[in-house]
Amino acid sequence: MKLIERIKNMIATPKTEWQTINTQPETLPSVLSTYVLPLALAGAVAIFIGYSFIGMDYGFFRMRGMEWGIKMALLRFISALIVVILTTYILDALAPSFSSEKNIDKSAQLVAYSCTPAFAGTLLSIIPSLAWLGGVFGLYGFYLMYLGLGLLKKTPEDKKVIYLVVTIVVMIILYALVGVVLGMVMRTNLNALNNTA
């Protein structure tokens, strides 16, 4: 229930929720284990169901079946965890450049809770053709991060926009790189399994 309440509050009343979050003594491991991990897992399950049983068509190319479900679910789950962790460390390392407070635990809170709309949007992947709507909803997370920067990272008002823009660029690059690397690793492993079968 606490998890559902946090998701609802982050989406509906983010300013108030950031104030609550700022008073909670969470660490990077605790944020990952109690928030990021369950939401990433829920999204992975939705993706697995969507691609295993419904799938998507791209002209003559069809993405459907257990192999696609497993591949897409693993890709999303692993990339979500890696990107949250790497973005947390990069955001924290950049903090002094934007007159902000260097604090890895506050950076973890900021990144993880800002990703709430993206995590919630991933649930739409249970119907793969609606996954793009989840992606659009995920953009709301950038606004959430903007709201949280001043409170959690003590970022001055005149530095918030540029700090946010740099963080967004970092996240996009990380998602692209992690997606490419994981895609290549999984493709290699799936090909190896098919050849031995």
Side-chain angles (χ1 to χ4, degrees):
M1 276 315 284
K2 204 173 176 183
L3 185 69
I4 304 294
E5 196 68 21
R6 165 87 4 117
I7 293 166
K8 188 185 77 169
N9 291 343
M10 277 308 302
I11 291 168
T13 56
K15 289 182 182 176
T16 308
E17 195 62 14
W18 277 131
Q19 290 171 352
T20 303
I21 288 165
N22 196 40
T23 64
Q24 296 173 338
E26 296 177 294
T27 62
L28 173 57
S30 71
V31 171
L32 287 173
S33 62
T34 62
Y35 198 75
V36 176
L37 199 60
L39 291 181
L41 193 56
V45 169
I47 288 170
F48 171 74
I49 293 169
Y51 280 92
S52 294
F53 303 107
I54 298 169
M56 276 192 75
D57 289 323
Y58 293 99
F60 295 107
F61 183 64
R62 184 157 177 77
M63 294 171 65
R64 182 181 173 190
M66 288 297 218
E67 189 177 299
W68 274 110
I70 292 168
K71 180 182 173 182
M72 298 300 283
L74 280 175
L75 187 64
R76 173 62 182 161
F77 179 73
I78 296 169
S79 64
L81 294 180
I82 291 172
V83 169
V84 167
I85 293 167
L86 290 179
T87 304
T88 295
Y89 278 102
I90 291 168
L91 180 89
D92 201 58
L94 290 171
S97 302
F98 299 99
S99 308
S100 302
E101 185 182 280
K102 199 164 166 18
N103 181 324
I104 195 67
D105 296 326
K106 291 297 180 188
S107 295
Q109 288 179 314
L110 183 64
V111 173
Y113 296 127
S114 293
C115 287
T116 300
F119 285 128
T122 304
L123 298 177
L124 289 175
S125 296
I126 200 160
I127 301 171
S129 60
L130 295 180
W132 67 274
L133 277 176
V136 170
F137 185 55
L139 296 176
Y140 179 55
F142 296 134
Y143 173 69
L144 298 183
M145 186 174 280
Y146 175 81
L147 292 178
L149 272 172
L151 194 62
L152 273 69
K153 299 296 290 174
K154 310 292 185 282
T155 306
E157 201 63 39
D158 63 328
K159 306 269 181 156
K160 282 167 71 173
V161 172
I162 188 67
Y163 196 3
L164 178 67
V165 169
V166 169
T167 304
I168 290 169
V169 170
V170 166
M171 289 180 85
I172 291 169
I173 292 169
L174 285 176
Y175 257 115
L177 287 174
V178 169
V180 168
V181 171
L182 287 176
M184 285 167 44
V185 169
M186 281 191 225
R187 194 175 306 115
T188 302
N189 288 339
L190 286 172
N191 289 340
L193 284 173
N194 288 336
N195 291 337
T196 57

